[in-house]
Amino acid sequence: MQYLEEKLESKSADYARGLTSLQEELEAVNYYQQRYVTTANSELKEIVGHNRDEEIEHCCMLIEWLRRNMPGWDERLKTYLFTSAPLTEVEAGATGEGGGGSGAEGDLSIRAMR
């Protein structure tokens, strides 16, 4: 946790826990994927691939929790997920500018954090 939980209000502390957990799960997916592609032993490869897929499941669960609970996630996920257009075109259509968010409440862009 990057911030002391006792200094955060309850919702913010939960968001921080969820986001940190997502980072850790994504890191685990990356580690297992690297092991999967470099493992020559077929039985070990199967186990490592299974472990990777479990971590992906955990990531999805955390993303869904964030979508349900943290402002901004629901709108952005509805915009970007399950589309077939190039993502930068989807962004341009969603923002009207192609360069990120507008700074509105719930905006997850770096620009909005400044």
Side-chain angles (χ1 to χ4, degrees):
M1 175 92 24
Q2 295 170 343
Y3 300 98
L4 299 175
E5 288 186 29
E6 63 271 6
K7 292 187 177 187
L8 295 173
E9 57 106 357
S10 181
K11 275 186 172 181
S12 293
D14 283 345
Y15 299 157
R17 290 181 193 112
L19 291 165
T20 299
S21 294
L22 179 57
Q23 287 175 312
E24 292 166 353
E25 296 295 343
L26 287 167
E27 193 170 86
V29 170
N30 185 32
Y31 291 147
Y32 282 122
Q33 176 62 19
Q34 290 178 40
R35 293 172 189 149
Y36 179 81
V37 299
T38 58
T39 299
N41 182 285
S42 61
E43 185 177 19
L44 179 58
K45 187 175 198 111
E46 186 176 332
I47 293 167
V48 170
H50 170 81
N51 291 351
R52 177 206 53 215
D53 294 345
E54 289 289 318
E55 301 301 338
I56 291 171
E57 181 180 312
H58 301 160
C59 289
C60 292
M61 292 167 66
L62 286 160
I63 290 169
E64 177 59 14
W65 184 89
L66 289 164
R67 184 195 68 78
R68 293 178 185 184
N69 292 280
M70 188 173 175
W73 282 85
D74 186 53
E75 179 184 348
R76 295 312 188 285
L77 291 173
K78 285 178 182 175
T79 299
Y80 292 100
L81 292 185
F82 308 109
T83 62
S84 56
L87 292 172
T88 54
E89 289 179 18
V90 173
E91 179 187 29
T95 64
E97 61 184 63
S102 63
E105 182 178 347
D107 189 345
L108 299 176
S109 70
I110 297 298
R111 179 180 301 145
M113 294 179 194
R114 292 183 183 153

